[in-house]
Amino acid sequence: MAHRNRIGNLYSLTSFGESHGPAIGGVIDGMPAGVAIDLEELHREMDRRKPGQGNGTSSRNEDDEVEILSGLKDGITLGTPIGFIIRNRDSRPEDYDHLKDVFRPSHADYTWQAKYGIRDHRGGGRASARETAARVVAGALAKQVLAQVGITISAKAMVAKNMADLSEGDTVGGIVACEIHGVPAGLGEPVFGKLSSQLAEAMMSIPAAKGFDIGLGFDFPNHTGREVLDLWRVDDGKITTATNFSGGIQGGISNGNDICFRVAFKPVATLMQPIEGIDNQGNVVNIEPRGRHDISVVARAVPVVEAMAAIVMLDNYLLNKTTHL
Amino acid sequence: MAHRNRIGNLYSLTSFGESHGPAIGGVIDGMPAGVAIDLEELHREMDRRKPGQGNGTSSRNEDDEVEILSGLKDGITLGTPIGFIIRNRDSRPEDYDHLKDVFRPSHADYTWQAKYGIRDHRGGGRASARETAARVVAGALAKQVLAQVGITISAKAMVAKNMADLSEGDTVGGIVACEIHGVPAGLGEPVFGKLSSQLAEAMMSIPAAKGFDIGLGFDFPNHTGREVLDLWRVDDGKITTATNFSGGIQGGISNGNDICFRVAFKPVATLMQPIEGIDNQGNVVNIEPRGRHDISVVARAVPVVEAMAAIVMLDNYLLNKTTHL
Amino acid sequence: MAHRNRIGNLYSLTSFGESHGPAIGGVIDGMPAGVAIDLEELHREMDRRKPGQGNGTSSRNEDDEVEILSGLKDGITLGTPIGFIIRNRDSRPEDYDHLKDVFRPSHADYTWQAKYGIRDHRGGGRASARETAARVVAGALAKQVLAQVGITISAKAMVAKNMADLSEGDTVGGIVACEIHGVPAGLGEPVFGKLSSQLAEAMMSIPAAKGFDIGLGFDFPNHTGREVLDLWRVDDGKITTATNFSGGIQGGISNGNDICFRVAFKPVATLMQPIEGIDNQGNVVNIEPRGRHDISVVARAVPVVEAMAAIVMLDNYLLNKTTHL
Amino acid sequence: MAHRNRIGNLYSLTSFGESHGPAIGGVIDGMPAGVAIDLEELHREMDRRKPGQGNGTSSRNEDDEVEILSGLKDGITLGTPIGFIIRNRDSRPEDYDHLKDVFRPSHADYTWQAKYGIRDHRGGGRASARETAARVVAGALAKQVLAQVGITISAKAMVAKNMADLSEGDTVGGIVACEIHGVPAGLGEPVFGKLSSQLAEAMMSIPAAKGFDIGLGFDFPNHTGREVLDLWRVDDGKITTATNFSGGIQGGISNGNDICFRVAFKPVATLMQPIEGIDNQGNVVNIEPRGRHDISVVARAVPVVEAMAAIVMLDNYLLNKTTHL
């Protein structure tokens, strides 16, 4: 359940922050009480999202130092909300003066201006992918809680285009394939709160995400019903299925198999080539590339996908505790 | 924003009903006051969802007569909630006795039993696609409101497999491609409430939906950033784009172009062939086909996709009225 | 958590219906699965709300026959939403023709017209106390669930004015004092979701409710802190308090004592005397009394207060299951 | 609409923070874009809540310096969430060591321990009235927005007991009477979202609040219906009422008159006298008074009551923009 700057129902994140304002951060509400949190592990997750994590990521020096302000005492969750901030330390606002009245193509510049009549043009403002750092905080904590009930999450990045073939300064998109292991049968809610529906919502809220599918997904239409039935198998007395075309969710509810989904990302819209923008008077303007940018977001998107999956899964794990009296 | 059996924030549908109980129905909250409603038009939308609407749909006689119980006076909306019911008249519960303790493959039988410890096994119970009739009611009314502000919705069904090649009793899935026209720039909410995120959630809540993408979607990774930039164009003094790879949404907010997305549906899991189920003791059982079922849900899914799109768009249209004082 | 026509977070009621439309009703979402429901008991609760239940209630023949449409199978809850309707059978709309363009004093006529620009003037429309029947349905079911965990609710009506002293056709208000027994310590949520806060919201949403207090409430300012400390007592090894000035809630959370609160109701605004109304042109008009009306709502308010208390308590009981992993 | 640590639907505050942790703070979502904010005015509101604001308030040096982290650019709201923190600088945790395993009477110590199984015992932790500083931030900003549409809020503190009669170290409660001026007719939502219902919820969430009433409130039962009818008056062609017994709300919706309500506060439970607590083993323990505490919270509660009123009113002002298309 997402609403504006909040996602989740029982375990929720409300986030804030512009890319070049004083700080980004958020409030995590609904963290169960009495859980031991490993802050070192949190920092390792943050590091995975940092620039320079793989091929074609930017060298901007983002210092993602998370300051936890509440909700923990001696490393144990209090059940109260966890407020946290991450200072924006590498802000050079003057780098963005040339973009003040310019809308870059395939960016959020124009749409945010159209919506609000005002925007923070520096580094994308609130639309910057920097806001995903807050997601990773909430996701990393959720992961630690989920681990205690045996649920783990992995994902891998796949880039379709051969980066070697790229012209200088061009970019690529890609796909992140995520698997959630150890999920008990019964998570997810009918009818609008299907687990697949909630995962789709969460993933499509990640910047540059343009597609989501689960199990065979968009390949389903290439098969007949007979070909893709997940026939039953009894394994050690437990009912399971011989195949997992469904991707671990049937009728919106987890069936105990691994949950397998994919998220498609468009190529980074910020090229290291001159591109045509438009100003707020309708004049075409040339935008010269500046600084360093990512060739692909996919590697850095992996911890964000995992974080969003963790938020959804913990939320649904808690919600399912209320199915029976 | 979906939560269990409710979707939408300001314009919301809370639905109820099992396939073979007395009735299905719902409550629409947040309908603007003073809007003239054409009930004939509502019934035409309901007819589009009925069986027998095209190739390979079942002949089950569903009588989708909608009874509006509140919220309208002399055809004008009161601003109060619109309660409605649709009686289930063609219920022959004995048709389902053989499925009482049986889990069909790739159905919701097992997962709902795992979640609730109890289920209505007749025709899928609450997991039946029959619940989509309530969505079409809320969507049809939303469409009429949206039409007054110039927003219209169309969609088309695409079946990948050639139905002529199917073995007797087998089924196919397909894709529904939806376009939303006349959308003003500025709809959608950051960060978690992106319009793309909300549309994904809504579409993935439709039974048998297994994938969602927007604009180029899953084809984005096959292109470089340079190839898929939506460059600006000034059209009659209005800023727009020469291409629409983004599918009408940038940074989670509509840009004024048509919104274009696709929903992938898996093949119907109910074959008109004997299939292997499993009973609640773990014994494999043969399920013989009975009655008539759809070869493909895709044609019937079109009005449901449109309905969900209409609910999301009206909700966001109303929400955007609060962006400024 | 209330929003327009819905109340409750995990156990929620979304209601609909105008007093003189075809029906009123609602959808109860979040009912735990597998609970046996006694429909006879539900009908007894409905009867308590019916007119003619005590001194000074109207003789209007309201037939509050509840039709449950979903969510139950063989008397057991399915965990799916419970849709229900109550037909409005005693509607004589022509009785209200004289009020079509008239605003009665101290009624909702003017405010609803101001808000919506349209209203159903017949019997108060959606603002009629008839809508409380839907509350009693959701409350009666909640009571049955709560009884299984030992939580019970009682309330009593108190009328301050001596009814014998009333002039013919005049009316009185009163106070309903409610007690909730068997509440475990720990229910209620910080900071905004205090149990006292949620109870206040629920009670003040009842028609004609104008005040709410808990424990000593409005009498607290007449005492010093020393006088009203709830000092500890150990009872059978269990920590409790010697007094219950707090009314069972401290810091927003139940402390295991009985929860004691009061709701103040204003006198019925519909007198059986001629009163001055105003029409939509600003002309004062005389309204002659018609039909039969309640001298006091307080007796009939008792089951409504109990119902709202039950909804809040079940909601919080379920919510508290998510406090720990 | 409150849920745990969030209040408000369209204009919402999600708050966090323990009294003696690193900081308290919150996220304000739904602030309309393009509004000029006067930060000096915000600080003046914060000062009104500070200790030492009147008779009998504590001299603890709370430094309520608000650091705004997002959502503003050059003093103008961006429409994005406003994150803010207030550092806790005067924390001397060792002052509270003697309370680590002790439950004070009429405090939240026991109930929070019962709920969470863990608590921050220092200064009340999350249950401390210090969290109200976050409310004042959100309320002060809401006030500035409301002022632009002519809505203003005032309140006054009333202490029933004569403070001069108090024994040394004893405390008193009191009543805050609040008026909201300039409210247009039409704010508030049926049926559960009545304006009176939302105000009650908001006020009862303030620490030590034990009662709420509106208009004549708890005095209504002492009058007959005839005595308290708000008869119509036409004033400069505008329909209004000669009296305002209703307190500005009829049928849950504002009628254009001043909204008048009262909040009853219990006496401060922290006396400057020895009191009996109990430890977690059930042993009675003597608690000696330390430091300085408020004799009455009522004076300091005034800006908090106003803040909560402002949050509710702005939320409803925005919500009402969606009543019509």
Side-chain angles (χ1 to χ4, degrees):
Chain A
M1 188 174 82
H3 178 51
R4 290 185 167 166
N5 296 283
R6 178 172 50 87
I7 191 160
N9 185 38
L10 290 174
Y11 182 82
S12 71
L13 167 66
T14 305
S15 79
F16 67 84
E18 278 73 50
S19 169
H20 287 66
I24 63 168
V27 185
I28 298 163
D29 204 358
M31 170 62 82
V35 180
I37 295 295
D38 179 347
L39 290 178
E40 288 307 308
E41 178 60 27
L42 166 63
H43 293 138
R44 279 192 291 275
E45 285 288 314
M46 298 307 293
D47 285 345
R48 293 178 63 207
R49 199 202 69 90
K50 276 174 63 174
Q53 294 312 301
N55 265 340
T57 58
S58 91
S59 60
R60 182 188 172 206
N61 178 18
E62 283 191 6
D63 191 344
D64 290 350
E65 192 185 328
V66 181
E67 188 184 0
I68 304 275
L69 300 172
S70 64
L72 283 179
K73 187 151 179 287
D74 305 328
I76 310 292
T77 58
L78 288 167
T80 57
I82 297 174
F84 64 91
I85 61 171
I86 305 169
R87 297 274 173 191
N88 295 321
R89 292 201 173 114
D90 185 30
S91 58
R92 290 171 300 190
E94 64 279 8
D95 283 5
Y96 298 95
D97 285 351
H98 63 300
L99 294 175
K100 192 168 179 308
D101 298 315
V102 169
F103 307 132
R104 293 165 298 168
S106 289
H107 271 276
D109 302 342
Y110 173 74
T111 54
W112 283 52
Q113 184 74 34
K115 183 176 190 69
Y116 295 109
I118 183 176
R119 73 196 159 94
D120 185 347
H121 66 282
R122 301 167 302 172
R126 177 88 182 124
S128 164
R130 177 149 176 77
E131 62 85 1
T132 60
R135 302 174 186 236
V136 174
V137 175
L141 299 186
K143 272 186 184 180
Q144 294 191 30
V145 181
L146 288 169
Q148 302 207 4
V149 294
I151 299 174
T152 57
I153 299 169
S154 63
K156 65 181 175 199
M158 298 177 295
V159 176
K161 290 293 283 190
N162 188 342
M163 283 202 219
D165 297 342
L166 278 183
S167 66
E168 173 72 21
D170 206 349
T171 62
V172 291
I175 285 173
V176 173
C178 181
E179 294 191 2
I180 312 175
H181 316 280
V183 183
L187 303 195
E189 299 288 328
V191 165
F192 300 116
K194 288 187 172 70
L195 193 52
S196 34
S197 180
Q198 293 184 53
L199 285 168
E201 178 196 33
M203 299 306 148
M204 291 298 290
S205 77
I206 302 173
K210 300 298 275 190
F212 171 89
D213 68 359
I214 192 156
L216 276 189
F218 274 94
D219 194 29
F220 263 121
N222 301 321
H223 295 273
T224 74
R226 169 63 72 182
E227 291 166 15
V228 295
L229 281 186
D230 283 319
L231 293 175
W232 300 107
R233 196 176 65 181
V234 178
D235 203 356
D236 273 338
K238 185 168 162 283
I239 293 176
T240 180
T241 59
T243 52
N244 188 15
F245 299 124
S246 300
I249 297 177
Q250 289 171 329
I253 296 172
S254 65
N255 67 0
N257 286 346
D258 287 346
I259 293 175
C260 311
F261 64 84
R262 302 186 307 159
V263 188
F265 291 91
K266 68 173 186 175
V268 181
T270 304
L271 311 186
M272 286 301 97
Q273 301 174 349
I275 53 173
E276 278 182 10
I278 202 164
D279 68 19
N280 54 18
Q281 305 303 314
N283 304 308
V284 170
V285 294
N286 257 312
I287 305 173
E288 292 296 320
R290 296 198 188 185
R292 285 298 310 146
H293 287 271
D294 296 340
I295 295 175
S296 164
V297 291
V298 183
R300 293 182 63 194
V302 168
V304 182
V305 166
E306 292 181 19
M308 297 309 289
I311 292 170
V312 170
M313 294 310 294
L314 180 52
D315 196 23
N316 279 276
Y317 185 88
L318 294 173
L319 193 51
N320 196 43
K321 290 169 70 82
T322 69
T323 304
H324 293 89
L325 192 56
Chain B
M1 189 175 81
H3 178 50
R4 289 186 168 166
N5 296 284
R6 178 172 50 87
I7 191 160
N9 186 38
L10 291 173
Y11 182 82
S12 70
L13 167 66
T14 305
S15 79
F16 67 85
E18 279 73 50
S19 169
H20 287 67
I24 64 169
V27 185
I28 298 162
D29 205 358
M31 170 63 80
V35 181
I37 295 296
D38 179 346
L39 291 179
E40 288 307 308
E41 179 59 29
L42 167 63
H43 292 137
R44 279 191 291 275
E45 284 290 312
M46 298 307 293
D47 285 345
R48 291 177 65 206
R49 201 203 67 93
K50 276 174 63 176
Q53 294 312 301
N55 266 339
T57 56
S58 91
S59 59
R60 181 188 172 208
N61 178 18
E62 283 190 8
D63 191 345
D64 289 352
E65 192 184 328
V66 181
E67 188 184 1
I68 304 277
L69 299 172
S70 64
L72 283 179
K73 187 150 178 287
D74 306 329
I76 309 293
T77 58
L78 288 166
T80 58
I82 296 175
F84 64 90
I85 61 171
I86 306 169
R87 297 275 173 190
N88 295 321
R89 292 204 172 110
D90 185 29
S91 58
R92 289 170 300 189
E94 65 278 10
D95 283 6
Y96 298 94
D97 285 352
H98 65 299
L99 293 175
K100 191 167 179 309
D101 299 315
V102 169
F103 308 132
R104 293 166 296 169
S106 289
H107 271 276
D109 302 341
Y110 173 75
T111 54
W112 283 54
Q113 184 74 35
K115 182 175 191 70
Y116 295 109
I118 184 176
R119 73 194 159 97
D120 186 346
H121 66 283
R122 300 167 302 172
R126 177 88 182 125
S128 164
R130 176 149 176 77
E131 61 85 1
T132 60
R135 303 174 185 236
V136 174
V137 175
L141 299 186
K143 274 185 183 181
Q144 294 192 28
V145 181
L146 288 169
Q148 302 206 4
V149 293
I151 299 174
T152 58
I153 298 169
S154 63
K156 65 182 176 200
M158 297 178 295
V159 175
K161 290 292 284 190
N162 188 342
M163 282 201 221
D165 296 342
L166 279 184
S167 67
E168 173 71 21
D170 206 349
T171 61
V172 292
I175 285 172
V176 173
C178 181
E179 295 190 3
I180 312 176
H181 316 279
V183 183
L187 304 194
E189 300 288 328
V191 167
F192 300 117
K194 289 186 170 71
L195 193 52
S196 34
S197 181
Q198 294 184 53
L199 285 168
E201 177 195 34
M203 298 306 148
M204 291 298 290
S205 76
I206 301 174
K210 301 298 276 189
F212 171 88
D213 68 0
I214 193 155
L216 275 189
F218 275 93
D219 195 30
F220 264 120
N222 301 320
H223 296 271
T224 74
R226 169 63 72 183
E227 291 166 15
V228 296
L229 280 186
D230 284 319
L231 294 174
W232 299 107
R233 197 176 66 181
V234 178
D235 203 356
D236 273 338
K238 184 168 163 283
I239 293 176
T240 179
T241 59
T243 52
N244 189 14
F245 299 125
S246 300
I249 297 176
Q250 289 171 329
I253 296 173
S254 64
N255 68 359
N257 285 346
D258 287 346
I259 293 175
C260 310
F261 64 84
R262 300 186 307 158
V263 188
F265 291 91
K266 69 173 187 176
V268 181
T270 304
L271 310 186
M272 287 301 97
Q273 301 174 348
I275 53 172
E276 277 182 11
I278 202 163
D279 68 18
N280 55 16
Q281 304 304 313
N283 303 308
V284 170
V285 294
N286 256 312
I287 305 173
E288 292 296 321
R290 296 198 188 186
R292 286 297 310 144
H293 288 272
D294 295 340
I295 295 175
S296 165
V297 290
V298 184
R300 293 182 63 192
V302 168
V304 182
V305 166
E306 293 180 18
M308 297 309 290
I311 292 170
V312 170
M313 294 310 294
L314 180 51
D315 196 23
N316 280 276
Y317 185 88
L318 294 172
L319 194 51
N320 196 43
K321 291 169 71 83
T322 69
T323 304
H324 294 88
L325 192 55
Chain C
M1 188 175 82
H3 177 51
R4 289 186 168 167
N5 296 283
R6 178 171 51 86
I7 192 161
N9 185 36
L10 290 174
Y11 182 81
S12 70
L13 167 65
T14 306
S15 79
F16 66 85
E18 278 73 50
S19 169
H20 286 67
I24 63 169
V27 185
I28 298 162
D29 205 359
M31 170 62 81
V35 180
I37 294 297
D38 179 347
L39 290 178
E40 287 307 306
E41 179 60 28
L42 167 62
H43 293 136
R44 278 190 292 275
E45 285 288 313
M46 298 308 294
D47 285 346
R48 292 177 65 207
R49 200 201 68 93
K50 276 174 64 174
Q53 294 310 301
N55 266 338
T57 56
S58 91
S59 60
R60 181 187 173 208
N61 177 20
E62 282 191 9
D63 191 345
D64 289 351
E65 191 185 328
V66 181
E67 188 183 1
I68 303 276
L69 300 172
S70 65
L72 284 179
K73 186 149 179 289
D74 306 328
I76 309 293
T77 58
L78 288 166
T80 57
I82 296 175
F84 65 90
I85 61 171
I86 304 169
R87 296 276 173 189
N88 295 321
R89 292 203 173 112
D90 185 30
S91 59
R92 289 171 300 189
E94 65 278 10
D95 283 6
Y96 298 94
D97 284 352
H98 64 301
L99 294 174
K100 191 168 179 308
D101 298 316
V102 169
F103 307 133
R104 293 166 297 169
S106 289
H107 271 275
D109 301 341
Y110 173 74
T111 54
W112 284 53
Q113 184 74 34
K115 182 176 191 69
Y116 295 110
I118 184 176
R119 72 193 159 97
D120 185 346
H121 66 282
R122 300 167 302 173
R126 178 87 182 125
S128 164
R130 177 149 176 77
E131 62 84 1
T132 61
R135 302 173 186 236
V136 174
V137 175
L141 299 186
K143 273 186 183 180
Q144 295 192 27
V145 181
L146 287 169
Q148 302 207 3
V149 294
I151 299 173
T152 57
I153 299 168
S154 63
K156 65 181 175 200
M158 297 178 296
V159 175
K161 289 293 282 190
N162 187 342
M163 280 201 221
D165 296 344
L166 278 183
S167 66
E168 173 72 21
D170 206 349
T171 62
V172 292
I175 284 174
V176 174
C178 182
E179 295 191 2
I180 313 176
H181 316 280
V183 183
L187 303 195
E189 301 287 329
V191 166
F192 301 116
K194 288 186 171 71
L195 193 52
S196 34
S197 180
Q198 293 184 54
L199 285 168
E201 177 194 36
M203 297 307 148
M204 292 297 290
S205 77
I206 301 174
K210 301 298 275 190
F212 171 89
D213 68 0
I214 192 154
L216 275 189
F218 274 93
D219 195 30
F220 264 120
N222 301 321
H223 296 272
T224 74
R226 169 63 72 182
E227 291 166 15
V228 295
L229 279 186
D230 283 319
L231 294 175
W232 299 108
R233 196 176 66 181
V234 178
D235 202 357
D236 273 338
K238 185 169 162 282
I239 293 176
T240 179
T241 59
T243 51
N244 189 16
F245 299 125
S246 300
I249 297 177
Q250 289 171 328
I253 295 173
S254 63
N255 67 359
N257 285 346
D258 287 347
I259 293 175
C260 310
F261 64 85
R262 301 185 308 157
V263 188
F265 291 91
K266 69 173 186 175
V268 181
T270 304
L271 310 186
M272 287 301 97
Q273 301 174 347
I275 52 173
E276 278 181 12
I278 202 164
D279 69 17
N280 54 19
Q281 304 303 314
N283 304 308
V284 169
V285 294
N286 256 313
I287 305 173
E288 292 296 322
R290 298 197 187 186
R292 286 296 311 144
H293 288 271
D294 296 340
I295 294 174
S296 164
V297 290
V298 183
R300 292 183 62 192
V302 168
V304 182
V305 166
E306 293 180 19
M308 296 310 289
I311 292 170
V312 170
M313 295 309 294
L314 180 51
D315 196 23
N316 279 276
Y317 186 89
L318 294 172
L319 193 52
N320 196 42
K321 290 168 70 84
T322 69
T323 305
H324 294 89
L325 192 55
Chain D
M1 188 175 81
H3 178 51
R4 289 184 168 168
N5 296 284
R6 178 172 50 86
I7 192 161
N9 185 38
L10 290 174
Y11 182 81
S12 70
L13 167 66
T14 305
S15 80
F16 66 85
E18 278 73 50
S19 169
H20 286 67
I24 63 168
V27 184
I28 299 163
D29 205 359
M31 170 62 82
V35 181
I37 295 296
D38 178 347
L39 290 178
E40 287 308 307
E41 178 60 27
L42 166 64
H43 292 137
R44 279 192 290 275
E45 285 288 314
M46 298 307 294
D47 284 346
R48 294 177 63 206
R49 200 202 69 92
K50 275 174 64 174
Q53 294 311 301
N55 265 339
T57 56
S58 91
S59 61
R60 181 189 173 206
N61 178 19
E62 284 191 8
D63 191 345
D64 289 351
E65 191 185 328
V66 182
E67 187 183 1
I68 304 275
L69 300 172
S70 64
L72 284 179
K73 187 152 179 286
D74 305 328
I76 309 293
T77 58
L78 288 166
T80 57
I82 297 174
F84 64 91
I85 61 172
I86 305 168
R87 296 275 172 190
N88 295 322
R89 291 202 173 114
D90 185 29
S91 58
R92 290 170 299 190
E94 65 279 8
D95 281 6
Y96 298 95
D97 284 353
H98 63 301
L99 294 175
K100 191 169 179 308
D101 298 316
V102 169
F103 306 132
R104 293 166 297 169
S106 290
H107 271 277
D109 301 342
Y110 173 75
T111 54
W112 284 53
Q113 184 74 34
K115 183 176 191 69
Y116 296 109
I118 183 175
R119 73 195 160 97
D120 186 346
H121 66 282
R122 300 167 303 172
R126 177 88 182 124
S128 165
R130 177 150 176 76
E131 61 86 1
T132 61
R135 303 174 186 234
V136 174
V137 175
L141 299 187
K143 273 185 183 181
Q144 295 192 28
V145 181
L146 288 169
Q148 302 208 4
V149 294
I151 299 174
T152 58
I153 299 169
S154 64
K156 65 181 174 199
M158 297 178 295
V159 175
K161 290 292 282 190
N162 187 342
M163 282 202 221
D165 296 343
L166 278 184
S167 66
E168 173 72 21
D170 206 349
T171 61
V172 291
I175 286 174
V176 173
C178 182
E179 295 190 2
I180 313 175
H181 317 279
V183 183
L187 303 195
E189 300 288 328
V191 164
F192 300 116
K194 289 186 171 69
L195 193 52
S196 35
S197 180
Q198 294 183 54
L199 285 168
E201 177 195 33
M203 298 306 148
M204 292 298 290
S205 77
I206 301 173
K210 301 298 275 189
F212 171 89
D213 68 359
I214 191 155
L216 276 190
F218 274 94
D219 194 30
F220 263 121
N222 300 322
H223 297 272
T224 73
R226 168 64 71 182
E227 291 166 15
V228 295
L229 280 186
D230 283 320
L231 294 175
W232 299 107
R233 198 175 65 182
V234 178
D235 203 356
D236 273 339
K238 186 168 162 283
I239 293 176
T240 180
T241 60
T243 52
N244 188 15
F245 299 124
S246 301
I249 297 177
Q250 289 171 328
I253 295 173
S254 64
N255 68 359
N257 286 346
D258 286 347
I259 293 176
C260 310
F261 63 86
R262 301 186 306 157
V263 189
F265 291 91
K266 67 174 187 175
V268 181
T270 304
L271 311 186
M272 286 302 97
Q273 302 174 348
I275 53 172
E276 278 182 11
I278 202 164
D279 69 16
N280 54 18
Q281 305 302 314
N283 304 307
V284 169
V285 295
N286 257 312
I287 305 174
E288 293 296 321
R290 298 199 185 184
R292 285 298 311 146
H293 288 271
D294 296 340
I295 295 175
S296 164
V297 289
V298 183
R300 293 182 63 195
V302 168
V304 182
V305 165
E306 293 181 19
M308 297 309 289
I311 292 171
V312 170
M313 294 311 293
L314 179 52
D315 196 22
N316 279 276
Y317 186 88
L318 294 172
L319 193 51
N320 195 43
K321 291 169 71 82
T322 69
T323 304
H324 293 89
L325 192 56

